Amino acid sequence: MAKQMTGAEMVVEAFKDQGVEYVFGYPGGAVLPIYDAFFMQDKVRHILVRQEGGAAHAAEGYARSSGKVGVLLVTSGPGATNAITGLTDALMDSIPLVCITGQVPTHLIGSDAFQECDTTGITRSCTKHNYLVRRIEDLPRILHEAFYIASHGRPGPVVVDIPKDVQFATGAYTFQRNIQHKTYRPQLKGDLEHIKRAVAMMAEAKRPIFYTGGGVINSGPHAATLLRELVRATGFPITSTLMGLGAYPASDKQWLGMLGMHGSYEANHAMHDCDLMICVGARFDDRITGRVDAFSPKSKKIHIDIDPSSINKTIKVEVPIIGDCAHVLEDMVRLWRGGQRADAAALEKWWEAINGWRARDSFGFRNSTQIIKPQHAVRRLYELTKGRDLYITTEVGQHQMWAAQHFHFEEPNRWMTSGGLGTMGYGLPAAIGAQLAHPNSLVIDIAGEGSIQMNIQEMSTAMQYRLPVKIFILNNQYLGMVRQWQELLHGNRYSETYMESLPDFVKLAEAYGAHGIRCSNPGDLDDAIKEMIDTPKAVIFDCMVDQKENCFPMIPSGKAHNEMILNELGDDAGVDLGAIIDEKGKMLV
């Protein structure tokens, strides 16, 4: 039955009907009617962030860790534009968000009114879909369509821009469960003939590999379960993108680790030398493929993806399967168990080759008793938190890659990082969102001293809502990943990467009312990490690490998967460092 209510009340009512627990936002003139509606209810909780960009990233962290739609509410003009980075980040990484933005009254649109901007125009390229609501009669339908579009098919952000006069207007509100968009109907079931062909190719393969991505996680826990079942049934090796970590357990013997620019030696070489690649929920992005014309030149490729636009966009494949990972994997498991068998002798030889690459220990490093190595810090953090109910977020840079390499995930939705956009400042607000979704869990943001300052103001949010998030800073006093490229490619000319003036992070923590810890001695590291874990409130841990440490392995720009630099000791495999970089530090192509 229709209820009469204002547009502002409709927004809050739609949140209730969609099961929204938290809305991350910041008030302003163009959304005051909605904030007034919030004040009149207590079912949906509003989280007051300190900047709208933090709202978007917090909503991402909530969505990624919970599997639900993240919601943010911002005002017009600068409120909307501040959220753009987070919306773009969510689009690149397929995170379901609904962003409500305020807008000037409809009669002022286009007049350059105070705090007006063309929100739908600005967000057209960084959202899955967006709406400008001009009539109160359309608002209920649009609100519920927004949640449907955000969460169905390939997930992504949706913006609903609501003028202030529409918020004040009164109309009839209705809610119909299982709403669908008139034209947007993503395909869930894969073409069975294509799936049969893929399974037959798997049985014939001599050197197969599963290449998996964040789409497996986005599909839900059942997809991860089916993936594990299929991988174990076939006996094939499996690797994953940065966004797919946790979909397959890192402790399993068939797991080759992450692939790509900073992936493992065995994963990248197996991808290069395989004769069949089964891509599940990944999109062949440039950090994975390296030089496209040299990418896995000997293989036939199967690509499973719910987004038709991802098929053959970068890499041509022999068998495209459009559909949801869970549905397609279910068919593949059934068909494989129906009588298909791998070529056991060929597979044994393939594993011999892989184990040879594995023996290089590409994530190895020379530890020190004098200075904390960043890899060692991440490994100790992993060991001391192993077995806990744990969620990890990161900022972006060297620390992000070290975390991906040395922290091991057994379950999906436990790892949250900015993959496609590479957004510094993502980790702390994302940790806040994850902590709200899982109030009794341990949530740690592995950060760098540069990235953490991008959204450090969100410490105030963490303290206001008594969220015991932990920030573990690998502090090398440099913008480390940029410094590494300057060392390798620009003749050690460290242009504007040395962070000469940094805050005292212990005092900064105390200024916010949090707990601060600093550690620079490897012998003190374990006790300091335990102190961080055991502290019942937010912590900033300033871990002083080796300034000169670089993140290896690394596929240099313009090189193929089998052309990797392995470590800082000059132990390179498949490529001569001198053949890549001349005496002036320039790349030789």
Side-chain angles (χ1 to χ4, degrees):
M1 184 176 176
K3 303 177 186 176
Q4 291 293 312
M5 58 181 70
T6 66
E9 291 168 339
M10 288 180 184
V11 172
V12 177
E13 194 69 19
F15 290 163
K16 293 177 184 177
D17 287 336
Q18 291 291 338
V20 174
E21 296 177 291
Y22 298 102
V23 173
F24 303 90
Y26 203 93
V31 284
L32 281 183
I34 299 175
Y35 273 87
D36 192 51
F38 260 110
F39 189 81
M40 306 301 289
Q41 59 84 50
D42 58 6
K43 190 171 182 180
V44 182
R45 190 178 181 194
H46 181 274
I47 303 299
L48 178 63
V49 298
R50 277 18 181 200
Q51 202 256 18
E52 291 87 355
H57 294 319
E60 284 188 276
Y62 174 87
R64 188 72 175 174
S65 66
S66 68
K68 301 176 182 177
V69 176
V71 180
L72 61 150
L73 171 62
V74 300
T75 195
S76 63
T81 57
N82 277 345
I84 294 296
T85 298
L87 294 173
T88 310
D89 192 271
L91 183 69
M92 293 283 280
D93 287 345
S94 304
I95 310 298
L97 298 186
V98 168
C99 174
I100 306 297
T101 59
Q103 184 55 274
V104 301
T106 52
H107 68 277
L108 291 179
I109 291 175
S111 70
D112 293 330
F114 177 67
Q115 290 192 333
E116 181 194 0
C117 74
D118 179 9
T119 300
T120 51
I122 291 170
T123 62
R124 186 165 291 119
S125 63
C126 64
T127 56
K128 188 176 176 182
H129 193 57
N130 63 19
Y131 296 89
L132 171 60
V133 185
R134 291 181 174 272
R135 301 168 63 246
I136 186 67
E137 293 82 4
D138 298 328
L139 183 57
R141 172 185 56 81
I142 287 173
L143 288 168
H144 295 300
E145 280 186 2
F147 280 88
Y148 174 84
I149 293 170
S151 58
H152 285 70
R154 180 179 176 180
V158 178
V159 163
V160 181
D161 195 33
I162 311 176
K164 196 168 182 178
D165 58 322
V166 175
Q167 297 173 41
F168 277 123
T170 301
Y173 174 84
T174 58
F175 171 56
Q176 181 181 350
R177 296 195 182 276
N178 302 317
I179 189 171
Q180 291 187 345
H181 193 273
K182 289 182 180 179
T183 57
Y184 180 60
R185 302 286 179 89
Q187 182 177 330
L188 300 180
K189 295 285 289 183
D191 183 289
L192 191 57
E193 293 305 313
H194 283 202
I195 296 172
K196 287 178 179 178
R197 183 182 169 199
V199 171
M201 291 169 65
M202 289 163 59
E204 295 168 359
K206 309 297 182 185
R207 300 184 308 278
I209 187 170
F210 282 100
Y211 153 44
T212 61
V216 179
I217 295 173
N218 289 338
S219 183
H222 187 50
T225 300
L226 289 166
L227 175 67
R228 296 171 191 215
E229 187 176 347
L230 183 60
V231 171
R232 287 164 181 160
T234 59
F236 295 176
I238 178 172
T239 182
S240 167
T241 66
L242 179 73
M243 296 304 294
L245 296 178
Y248 193 84
S251 61
D252 192 88
K253 64 182 180 180
Q254 290 171 245
W255 171 247
L256 304 188
M258 180 180 72
L259 81 156
M261 181 173 282
H262 293 286
S264 75
Y265 185 66
E266 56 267 32
N268 283 324
H269 273 259
M271 286 283 282
H272 186 270
D273 287 356
C274 71
D275 69 348
L276 179 67
M277 182 186 300
I278 308 113
C279 175
V280 187
R283 58 186 177 88
F284 294 98
D285 72 277
D286 61 289
R287 290 294 165 120
I288 298 303
T289 62
R291 204 175 84 221
V292 171
D293 64 355
F295 175 70
S296 194
K298 306 167 189 175
S299 71
K300 294 180 179 178
K301 299 171 184 69
I302 299 163
H303 189 183
I304 303 166
D305 204 299
I306 200 166
D307 181 4
S309 71
S310 291
I311 303 291
N312 292 323
K313 181 171 68 175
T314 306
I315 299 294
K316 182 171 176 54
V317 301
E318 279 70 25
V319 182
I321 303 174
I322 299 169
D324 178 75
C325 289
H327 287 79
V328 176
L329 288 170
E330 187 170 32
D331 285 337
M332 294 182 84
V333 168
R334 176 176 51 79
L335 291 170
W336 185 266
R337 292 201 180 281
Q340 295 286 3
R341 294 288 183 274
D343 185 331
L347 198 56
E348 184 177 358
K349 289 181 180 179
W350 181 224
W351 273 111
E352 285 177 8
I354 290 170
N355 288 331
W357 295 321
R358 221 177 217 167
R360 301 300 296 266
D361 188 21
S362 59
F363 291 158
F365 60 97
R366 181 179 293 170
N367 209 355
S368 170
T369 58
Q370 304 300 315
I371 189 169
I372 297 174
K373 293 289 186 175
Q375 304 96 319
H376 175 67
V378 174
R379 286 190 178 185
R380 294 314 302 155
L381 181 65
Y382 168 69
E383 291 295 336
L384 293 169
T385 57
K386 191 187 296 184
R388 289 178 175 266
D389 184 15
L390 177 69
Y391 294 83
I392 295 290
T393 70
T394 78
E395 307 293 335
V396 168
Q398 285 178 317
H399 63 273
Q400 176 191 30
M401 294 298 106
W402 282 317
Q405 291 173 346
H406 299 282
F407 217 99
H408 307 299
F409 298 92
E410 302 296 307
E411 301 173 21
N413 300 104
R414 300 287 175 151
W415 163 255
M416 286 144 282
T417 194
S418 174
L421 194 61
T423 307
M424 296 173 72
Y426 168 90
L428 172 54
I432 287 171
Q435 189 76 78
L436 283 161
H438 307 278
N440 298 318
S441 302
L442 178 62
V443 180
I444 302 174
D445 172 28
I446 299 177
E449 80 292 328
S451 280
I452 193 60
Q453 294 185 83
M454 290 280 188
N455 273 317
I456 191 64
Q457 75 283 344
E458 298 308 329
M459 276 299 296
S460 181
T461 305
M463 296 309 298
Q464 177 173 337
Y465 297 98
R466 295 175 174 80
L467 303 174
V469 296
K470 318 299 183 190
I471 303 171
F472 190 74
I473 301 173
L474 300 180
N475 186 348
N476 60 12
Q477 297 183 280
Y478 276 94
L479 298 176
M481 191 61 84
V482 184
R483 183 204 60 76
Q484 176 170 331
W485 281 79
Q486 288 173 334
E487 177 182 328
L488 295 177
L489 307 180
H490 298 280
N492 297 307
R493 294 183 294 277
Y494 301 132
S495 177
E496 304 302 325
T497 47
Y498 178 53
M499 305 290 281
E500 184 173 0
S501 179
L502 286 170
D504 181 325
F505 285 110
V506 172
K507 288 183 179 179
L508 184 62
E510 293 168 352
Y512 278 112
H515 182 60
I517 302 171
R518 180 177 295 110
C519 183
S520 57
N521 187 337
D524 298 332
L525 183 60
D526 278 19
D527 286 340
I529 290 174
K530 291 174 185 175
E531 179 186 343
M532 178 187 75
I533 294 168
D534 293 339
T535 300
K537 63 178 180 179
V539 176
I540 298 179
F541 187 123
D542 189 11
C543 186
M544 307 298 296
V545 300
D546 189 347
Q547 291 185 345
K548 298 180 180 179
E549 197 74 9
N550 284 331
C551 185
F552 293 114
M554 176 182 171
I555 302 174
S557 179
K559 294 297 175 178
H561 270 102
N562 63 339
E563 298 178 305
M564 298 184 71
I565 307 171
L566 276 192
N567 60 44
E568 76 281 13
L569 303 177
D571 179 12
D572 53 297
V575 64
D576 177 12
L577 201 59
I580 300 175
I581 304 164
D582 68 11
E583 67 278 2
K584 295 181 180 180
K586 291 185 178 180
M587 178 76 78
L588 299 174
V589 179

